[in-house]
Amino acid sequence: SWIFLSALLLILENYKRTENKKIYVIPPLMLIWANTHSLSILGLIVVLIYFTGIYLEQKKWDRKLFFVTLLSLGAFFINPYFIDGFLFPFKQFLIIKGGALQKEYIAELQTPFIASELKKQGIKYLLNPLFYMQTYALVALVFGIRFLRKKNITEGLLILSFFVILYLAMKNYGYFLFVSLPLIVKGADELLEEKKGRKIVSEEFIPRLRVISFGISIIMLWLTITDGLPVLRSSPYRFGISIDKRSVPFDAVRFLNGNKLHGKMLNHLDFGGYLMNNYPDKIFIDGRIELLDQKFFRKYFSSLAPGGLDNIIKEYDPEIIFFPFTKATGWWSSLIGNKNFRPVYFDGLAAIYLKNGSFPDIKELDALSVQATSKLNIYDMIKENKPSGINSFLNCFIKKQYYPIDEQNKATFCFTYGFMDAALAYSAEGIKRSTVNPNNIFYNLSLYFKNEGRMQEAEFCKKKAAT
């Protein structure tokens, strides 16, 4: 949809300026778009905005564009589902508008204009992408209003319409950006030219502003490549082109397939898409949230609350439970005390539990089977000083960054089940590999040393965790 939207904007803008005949490629484009992605409805909105804007600006009907608009609308009906295919985008709109449970439970379907994160994070909110999304959106809104005041109706309607779409759900930010960014550049250029004529802005200001913008972009790009930005933000996402095992359960699914664990599965929503593509059996739930029955959807999310897993196990009687254990803590806490299921696999992201009596060849995890191979001494590792503060930021420019999410989660799993040797080994390995101070690992270690009665080490790790 990003590609089709950009192409459509380019065609319509060229037509508005030069009446280029390429406008007749729009109906075929809309036909392909309508059969490849459900947000093709955005294309129809854009065509209607240009038709309306040109009429209001020129005070006359554009017959060519009117004809193209009708053909584009007709293209929506040419799909395998006919009227249902045409109506499906409107069903999606009802979801993000707030008429469905998905709006309540799925973060990306919620509005970006919320202050809860600001209250929670304080000054750290300045590193939150939500802050920049909100700031940019408000700047765009100002330019949209300015376009309308200057009788540039098409530009104003484009920004305001997609601002409303963004307001409904933060997942629409990409579409808002593609539409608004060229218009903001155009509006800013016009504004600066006006100011320059009044001697408020010097002749050198605009070229300097472009150089500064380019420089900031290069810095952001480099910090993304070095993983500096995600590490400083404690984000799990990393730069690269290979499979990211912090985000998708690559190793866990390989364990399922390698051991021929095929049976009734209860899986977490986050893993549904990857399982569909890489696991041969039917799964419980996947990310196509627009298709989910509301009653089933509520039942699933109720299971994620503390104590909620038991109800869904009782109803569906799964043999395999597959989930991200540090995220779905409600499931995990229920399974830790559940004698009907045994843990058979874990890694830095996923855990697999099997029903007792099913798959008898797969043994339960124990201290011997999870023994880590690292020979690092934890008492030596906790004394290592990692860059922090401004030094940590500067270090991001020099070398590839690493935060030990994988080791941290593995250690957490082992601490929870009492596999202390393995937990300490994973913790030591994480401290060794980390390029920044691994606060969460030190926090876990402070609790471990406190339970062991080693108060000096506990206090030392507690201070490290707060650094």
Side-chain angles (χ1 to χ4, degrees), residues 202-215:
S202 66
E203 292 283 347
E204 298 82 13
F205 179 77
I206 294 177
R208 286 175 181 173
L209 183 63
R210 289 169 179 157
V211 171
I212 292 170
S213 300
F214 183 74

Side-chain angles (χ1 to χ4, degrees), residues 256-257 259-267 275 279-285 316-322 341 352-355 358-359:
L256 287 171
N257 291 328
N259 288 281
K260 295 181 173 55
L261 298 178
H262 304 301
K264 189 183 291 187
M265 176 182 287
L266 173 61
N267 67 279
L275 280 167
Y279 182 70
D281 290 9
K282 184 178 180 180
I283 62 174
F284 184 75
I285 192 171
Y316 289 96
D317 190 28
E319 296 175 278
I320 306 167
I321 301 181
F322 183 44
F341 285 84
I352 299 173
Y353 285 73
L354 300 179
K355 185 178 181 181
S358 299
F359 315 104

Side-chain angles (χ1 to χ4, degrees), residues 19-127:
E19 294 194 4
N20 193 308
K21 293 183 179 180
K22 289 181 179 178
I23 191 173
Y24 291 112
V25 307
I26 290 179
L29 184 148
M30 295 301 300
L31 174 62
I32 299 171
W33 191 356
N35 283 275
T36 50
H37 198 262
S38 58
L39 282 181
S40 53
I41 191 68
L42 298 179
L44 193 58
I45 291 173
V46 168
V47 174
L48 288 171
I49 286 174
Y50 268 88
F51 176 72
T52 304
I54 291 174
Y55 169 74
L56 294 175
E57 290 167 2
Q58 300 178 3
K59 305 302 181 185
K60 64 177 184 179
W61 293 100
D62 188 311
R63 293 184 178 182
K64 290 181 182 178
L65 191 52
F66 178 71
F67 184 61
V68 165
T69 302
L70 289 179
L71 288 177
S72 298
L73 179 62
F76 270 76
F77 289 91
I78 306 175
N79 67 79
Y81 307 99
F82 190 53
I83 189 67
D84 288 338
F86 174 75
L87 293 176
F88 183 70
F90 297 95
K91 294 178 182 178
Q92 287 186 302
F93 178 76
L94 290 176
I95 289 175
I96 66 172
K97 188 175 181 294
L101 288 170
Q102 286 90 329
K103 181 80 171 181
E104 179 182 348
Y105 289 112
I106 305 297
E108 67 177 20
L109 295 181
Q110 296 169 8
T111 178
F113 297 98
I114 50 177
S116 57
E117 290 297 315
L118 176 59
K119 296 176 183 178
K120 189 187 304 181
Q121 297 184 27
I123 191 66
K124 288 185 177 180
Y125 188 63
L126 295 178
L127 291 175

Side-chain angles (χ1 to χ4, degrees), residues 86-211:
F86 174 75
L87 293 176
F88 183 70
F90 297 95
K91 294 178 182 178
Q92 287 186 302
F93 178 76
L94 290 176
I95 289 175
I96 66 172
K97 188 175 181 294
L101 288 170
Q102 286 90 329
K103 181 80 171 181
E104 179 182 348
Y105 289 112
I106 305 297
E108 67 177 20
L109 295 181
Q110 296 169 8
T111 178
F113 297 98
I114 50 177
S116 57
E117 290 297 315
L118 176 59
K119 296 176 183 178
K120 189 187 304 181
Q121 297 184 27
I123 191 66
K124 288 185 177 180
Y125 188 63
L126 295 178
L127 291 175
N128 191 320
L130 201 59
F131 168 74
Y132 297 98
M133 186 186 297
Q134 293 166 344
T135 303
Y136 173 81
L138 293 175
V139 170
L141 182 61
V142 170
F143 275 101
I145 295 171
R146 187 174 188 272
F147 278 127
L148 291 178
R149 292 178 63 185
K150 293 178 72 66
K151 308 302 181 183
N152 296 328
I153 308 299
T154 306
E155 288 87 344
L157 288 178
L158 280 170
I159 290 180
L160 294 181
S161 298
F162 277 81
F163 180 87
V164 171
I165 292 171
L166 170 64
Y167 181 84
L168 293 174
M170 65 179 72
K171 67 173 291 190
N172 295 326
Y173 179 65
Y175 306 108
F176 175 71
L177 185 68
F178 271 69
V179 170
S180 63
L181 185 57
L183 299 178
I184 288 178
V185 172
K186 176 185 176 182
D189 204 43
E190 292 175 354
L191 181 62
L192 290 172
E193 286 295 333
E194 291 176 11
K195 299 296 183 183
K196 188 169 63 174
R198 300 176 196 170
K199 304 299 181 184
I200 297 176
V201 179
S202 66
E203 292 283 347
E204 298 82 13
F205 179 77
I206 294 177
R208 286 175 181 173
L209 183 63
R210 289 169 179 157
V211 171

